[in-house]
Amino acid sequence: MGGCVVQVLILDDDGRRANAVEAAVRFLEHEVVRGPADGELAEVLEPNRHYALALIPSEGERERRQAALEVLWQQLPELPVFLISEQGQARGLDAGANVLGTLQLPLRQAQFSAALKQALAQNARSRERRDRPGGRAPRLVGQSRPMQQVSRMIEQVADTEASVLILGESGTGKEVVAQNIHYRSGRADKPFVPINCGAIPGDLLESELFGHEKGAFTGAISARQGRFELAKGGTIFLDEIGDMSMPMQVKLLRVLQERTFERVGSNRTQEADVRVIAATHRDLEESIRNNEFREDLFYRLNVFPIEVPPLRARPSDIPVLIEELVRRIEEEGRGSVRFSASALSCLSQYAWPGNVRELANVVERLAILCAYDAVQVDDLPVRIREAAGVPVDPATAYLPGGGKPTPAASAAHGTAGRDGAGAAVAAACAAEASLVAEAAPAAGPATEDPPDLAAIPAFLRAAEAAEPPAGLSAEAANGGPAGDEAALGTAPVTEPGYTVTGVDWDKGGVDLKAALSRLEQRLIEDALEHADGVVARAAKLLSLRRTTLVEKLRKYDIAR
Ligand SMILES: Nc1ncnc2c1ncn2[C@@H]1O[C@H](COP(=O)(O)OP(=O)(O)OP(=O)(O)O)[C@@H](O)[C@H]1O
């Protein structure tokens, strides 16, 4: 992580496992603080110490682990937590603490580095929220007429107590607008507490919002504050309000009407001194017609609606947004990148269905592929070049949406990467491949050994290895159907829209469960990639409900 030494909290009562995890963390030259995985943890935590993340086993006695998570939630509510598991994905969802995902043991370098990166980014955001003195808003970039209108509305509504409903497609910047309202209001020195109502299972949402008393339900081993309490005096941001279940809508409406609430399992009424800002990408009026959203709640929230326009309606904002996104990458010490005028012009012609989030993903990727270099048109994802009518050279059209050939494909096609960028491309491809490999549920060695390719269906292999395995052509390694069939001699299963190729049965067969799980994971990653990180679109591509996909993302620890 670029020489940055951080403190990692390892909470585990199993000495052997804790030693192994500690060794892996120390190998990466980070510091370790050990502690118990139960309520005793309260004695160990030092409030002024800056931990980067906590690791806690998902196996073992659930109640003890839950007690440790409760302590973390009470004392360090923003500390990112990863569960560590020896037996595949953690089952069940632990309430409390800031659990970002599960890491498989043995802990591998790429897997841990990815988790640490996620944790550090979250810590930076938390720090930014905390350090913002008396209402310094996060930057809302955009000089287009529609964004000027949004900025005016923010100014008008900020210093009132009115509920605000922010409407707009996914990734347009609704949360940024909500933060701007909060940090320009008289509540700016009190918390801004976001909650994604669509991502939290219905039965947990009530306790997330209003808190619970000890023993209110199985697993509630201690009392806990909800987001309404945490936001006291400040603002609660109810994101994806359109995904809230009808019974929960009734409860929320009551709180908004009476301005009071009770923790689950308590009859002590508390005042809800909280400003409410809600957001949705849904057409709530249509949801009302479909009996999916309560009209009375809609009117209660929709006191002051703000519509954030999609990026395609304001292409003139693209250059300033890119500037802002690069500034963030630089500030987080993740490198830098520049854009040629022709690349900027090309980017401005694309429709950006995933809006600013999609733009941010593209900028992030280019900052790796063209690190400290100037992005040219040829570096842009194929879909963007095509949208601008730029002829696409097949040699630069390999990676889905990436626009850069893998080293293996480069070799196969005799194309050399540009000077300097070749190494960055190789590094990015290797990182991508190792991350995918790390996420595989099969237990593997702690070192960076290549995965056992024979155990993985050929369909999945392209992402597992940057170099084609012995006996497979580059085309086969990159998923070319002819190569697969030639190499494996097994008939592919072909359905309209997809093909799954076979297994080399002579090499000991396949672990069906692991392969299916891997296949599911890979399809989700591909769909997300194709949908530019827009979960709702990826869910549609996979014929899943959005909430189901959100749960699977959490299960497989796939970053959006
Ligand atoms: N005008 C803007 N200025 C600066 N950054 C922006 C702007 N709009 C969006 N972003 C950035 O784009 C990303 C997505 O924005 P945000 O999360 O606010 O979108 P959203 O509309 O709330 O998405 P969703 O509906 O999926 O929750 C964030 O990284 C955000 O900082």
Side-chain angles (χ1 to χ4, degrees), residues 139-141 170-176 239 321 328 356-357:
R139 279 203 216 200
L140 180 75
V141 172
S170 257
T172 43
K174 298 187 291 297
E175 182 159 352
V176 182
D239 201 4
L321 277 166
R328 286 184 201 172
V356 185
R357 183 171 296 114

Side-chain angles (χ1 to χ4, degrees), residues 318-334:
I318 288 174
V320 277
L321 277 166
I322 290 178
E323 207 179 300
E324 165 69 9
L325 295 165
V326 172
R327 188 188 63 81
R328 286 184 201 172
I329 291 171
E330 288 170 346
E331 266 183 18
E332 289 168 19
R334 292 187 290 123

Side-chain angles (χ1 to χ4, degrees), residues 296-315:
D296 41 12
L297 178 60
F298 173 71
Y299 288 119
R300 179 64 61 172
L301 295 170
N302 195 31
V303 177
F304 192 97
I306 297 181
E307 184 135 9
V308 187
L311 193 50
R312 64 182 167 280
R314 46 182 169 113

